Amino acid sequence: MSAAATGAATSTATGASSVSVARVVRAEWTKFRTLPSNLITVAITFVTIVGLAGVLLAASDDGGTALAPVDLLAGVSWAQFLPAVLGIVAICSEWAAGTSRVTFLAVPTRWPVLAGKVAVVGVVTFVAGAAAAAGALAMGAAAGVDVGADPALAIRLVSGTGLYLGTIAVFALGVGAIVRNLVGSILTAVGFLWIAPFAAVMIPVPEVHELAGYLPTSAGALLLTPDNPAVELTPWGGYAVLLAWAAAALAGALLTLRVRDV
Amino acid sequence: MGIQVQSLSKRYGRTWAVRDLSFEVQPGRVTGFLGPNGAGKSTTMRSIVGLDRPTTGAALIDGAPYARLRAPLREVGTLLDARAAHRSRRAVDHLRTVAATHGFPAKRVDEVIGLTGLESAARVKAGKFSLGMGQRLGIAVALLGDPHTLILDEPVNGLDPEGVTWIRGLLSALAAEGRTVFLSSHLLSELALVVDHVVVIGRGRLIADAPLMTLTSDAGRTLEEAYIALTRDAVEYRAGDADGARS
Ligand SMILES: Nc1ncnc2c1ncn2[C@@H]1O[C@H](COP(=O)(O)OP(=O)(O)OP(=O)(O)O)[C@@H](O)[C@H]1O
Ligand SMILES: [Mg+2]
């Protein structure tokens, strides 16, 4: 439609364009990077992990030679709340800020929006986590920690930190899409990721303890610990359990998006 | 073609917001959508563009359901809320996020900013916008894809006199180009200057679907008088009922 009223040669301006998943991913990336708070959250995640490694190294008398590589990642359990918040904010802010209608008017099939957010939040938190772990280990190596003794473990710790944080962010994103309300989503995610593992320890029933090992953070954290034959799950087995939680949350999110009004 | 609403019903919990509503909006003219507060206008518009799932019935735009459109923004421009941008995001970035979904070029974002007179505010965070600036940003989003159909929920709300005149001219020009223009409003004297056709609903049901002329000049009354007469029994929220009881 040639258009005097809506501005010049607009037919050439918009002519061949249509919605694709790749374009929705790009739109979600634009959304992510144009909110300063997201960038700050990513930076704090990185600084927490690297910073805590620095504190541990500085605090150990022998310059760190007594520390194992896994000890350098103590900051991950502190930082892991931030990727979860990032995932929740990515989806819940659509409703809190009133952008949800504009978003789903542009993408009425809805699911590509979720896919785009998963891609952006997942990749950003993976990269931030892996980069922070690499930074922490490099600092340790420079200070005398024997990081090179087990190269396979070092690689697992770096990629594992990225995967662990990225998958927690995606799990939280799924929870956010189901719950929609920002505060409700954060409470639900905190319940699954932190309160449930603590609460399970309080129940003096062995079966409960065993099941608690399959909670998202308990299982996923195995990726960041050395092999332990006493635990039923292998490190990657533990990560697979975390991945299954994320997949279940996303399945619920897709269903919710499909049936609920925007 | 145009918009076809077919036996549309929408229930929220136990309230029926829209009940068995059918009408058509023709291209090439401006159609006004009127009704008292809570009549179901916004619900009808959200159902047409697939944001609300109808309980029963359907709506088609140029023959297809909205969700089936491959490039929805090129077919339909929609304005539903004046505040639809993230407070912390700059207006230009808000437009870019929308443009990116369809791969519209950066030039088009600049064009709609110019068209809606937002040049000086484009780099301001949307949270700092006044109601009228937010409304202009919403109109910019609606025009982004140069759509054949426009669905606007109270677009005049908050606009200054210059803005009101501008949007009146814009809507007439769009209709003159053969596009479908469907807008709701409570500002009847404003509306009377621009609409060719009027759809009136009350309590979710159709009350009138007629050319403006038939309702007004032919009957020797203003749109306001016609509206009041038509919706007398359909108004749910009326101020000063206590006074009315006393007199
Ligand atoms: N999301 C919702 N959940 C529950 N009820 C709703 C929802 N949206 C609308 N309603 C109800 O549906 C009815 C119609 O509301 P709607 O907003 O469509 O009216 P309207 O004609 O646009 O009114 P107004 O002129 O005030 O904008 C009202 O009773 C309203 O309370
Ligand atoms: Mg309304």
Side-chain angles (χ1 to χ4, degrees):
Chain A
M1 168 110 330
S2 80
T6 59
T10 47
S11 50
T12 55
T14 61
S17 19
S18 69
V19 181
S20 69
V21 177
R23 282 177 170 154
V24 177
V25 172
R26 210 167 306 149
E28 289 300 328
W29 169 241
T30 308
K31 274 186 200 166
F32 184 89
R33 67 176 173 73
T34 51
L35 283 190
S37 62
N38 285 333
L39 309 177
I40 293 168
T41 307
V42 172
I44 295 176
T45 308
F46 181 88
V47 169
T48 304
I49 294 170
V50 175
L52 213 71
V55 170
L56 285 173
L57 287 167
S60 61
D61 305 328
D62 48 8
T65 40
L67 290 172
V70 280
D71 297 333
L72 296 167
L73 298 183
V76 174
S77 55
W78 290 93
Q80 61 185 0
F81 187 63
L82 297 165
V85 167
L86 219 53
I88 287 169
V89 166
I91 185 81
C92 294
S93 72
E94 293 276 0
W95 281 277
T99 52
S100 59
R101 289 189 179 147
V102 173
T103 295
F104 292 107
L105 280 170
V107 189
T109 47
R110 299 186 188 175
W111 69 265
V113 173
L114 190 69
K117 289 184 192 295
V118 167
V120 169
V121 170
V123 168
V124 167
T125 48
F126 171 84
V127 170
L137 293 188
M139 270 168 54
V145 179
D146 198 358
V147 174
D150 186 350
L153 176 65
I155 290 171
R156 168 150 70 78
L157 291 180
V158 170
S159 60
T161 303
L163 289 172
Y164 177 70
L165 295 182
T167 311
I168 283 182
V170 170
F171 171 77
L173 174 55
V175 168
I178 296 167
V179 178
R180 284 201 184 169
N181 176 278
L182 183 66
V183 176
S185 301
I186 289 179
L187 291 177
T188 308
V190 165
F192 272 104
L193 299 174
W194 292 287
I195 296 175
F198 278 108
V201 175
M202 312 270 189
I203 303 170
V205 180
E207 285 80 9
V208 172
H209 288 192
E210 208 168 300
L211 274 181
Y214 288 84
L215 286 168
T217 36
S218 316
L222 294 176
L223 204 47
L224 306 180
T225 52
D227 280 295
N228 182 356
V231 182
E232 206 170 312
L233 289 164
T234 62
W236 288 105
Y239 177 67
V241 170
L242 172 59
L243 209 54
W245 278 97
L250 286 183
L254 281 176
L255 189 69
T256 309
L257 268 187
R258 203 184 157 79
V259 300
R260 255 183 94 175
D261 292 342
V262 170
Chain B
M1 293 295 115
I3 303 168
Q4 289 166 292
V5 174
Q6 302 170 334
S7 314
L8 181 76
S9 295
K10 177 67 188 177
R11 189 180 59 189
Y12 298 109
R14 287 169 54 214
T15 22
W16 288 92
V18 175
R19 201 87 198 246
D20 196 25
L21 184 63
S22 300
F23 62 87
E24 285 187 23
V25 182
Q26 300 293 338
R29 64 191 192 195
V30 179
T31 302
F33 195 25
L34 314 183
N37 292 131
K41 302 180 296 296
S42 299
T43 303
T44 302
M45 287 177 153
R46 287 197 302 271
S47 301
I48 292 171
V49 292
L51 292 173
D52 280 13
R53 311 283 197 209
T55 307
T56 57
L60 303 176
I61 298 172
D62 291 338
Y66 189 90
R68 211 61 75 63
L69 302 176
R70 295 189 37 129
L73 300 186
R74 266 173 48 209
E75 316 267 342
V76 187
T78 312
L79 167 76
L80 291 172
D81 319 271
R83 301 213 178 269
H86 195 293
R87 320 180 35 83
S88 309
R89 196 175 277 128
R90 304 180 308 166
V92 63
D93 290 329
H94 176 66
L95 286 163
R96 282 176 185 153
T97 64
V98 184
T101 60
H102 283 56
F104 296 148
K107 198 181 111 229
R108 183 60 190 160
V109 169
D110 297 337
E111 271 172 17
V112 293
I113 287 172
L115 239 128
T116 49
L118 283 175
E119 289 98 338
S120 60
R123 277 165 179 74
V124 175
K125 289 186 175 173
K128 299 205 168 118
F129 272 28
S130 68
L131 175 61
M133 287 159 78
Q135 200 72 273
R136 282 169 190 264
L137 183 56
I139 295 167
V141 170
L143 295 177
L144 203 51
D146 189 22
H148 184 256
T149 301
L150 280 135
I151 297 175
L152 311 170
D153 198 1
E154 303 190 33
V156 185
N157 225 359
L159 288 182
D160 55 25
E162 185 273 335
V164 173
T165 312
W166 163 72
I167 198 160
R168 212 192 289 144
L170 175 72
L171 297 180
S172 303
L174 290 169
E177 286 172 8
R179 304 187 203 221
T180 309
V181 182
F182 186 46
L183 78 151
S184 77
S185 180
H186 292 296
L187 305 172
L188 299 185
S189 42
E190 268 308 324
L191 210 61
L193 296 175
V194 65
V195 299
D196 310 296
H197 197 91
V198 179
V199 173
V200 186
I201 64 170
R203 299 179 195 269
R205 293 177 189 272
L206 189 72
I207 293 180
D209 178 356
L212 179 71
M213 290 301 175
T214 314
L215 292 177
T216 57
S217 34
D218 294 358
R221 54 190 182 182
T222 65
L223 179 57
E224 204 145 21
E225 290 162 348
Y227 170 87
I228 302 266
L230 283 168
T231 58
R232 185 162 294 135
D233 302 324
V235 177
E236 274 183 90
Y237 309 103
R238 197 192 305 270
D241 269 355
D243 282 1
R246 234 181 288 133
S247 63

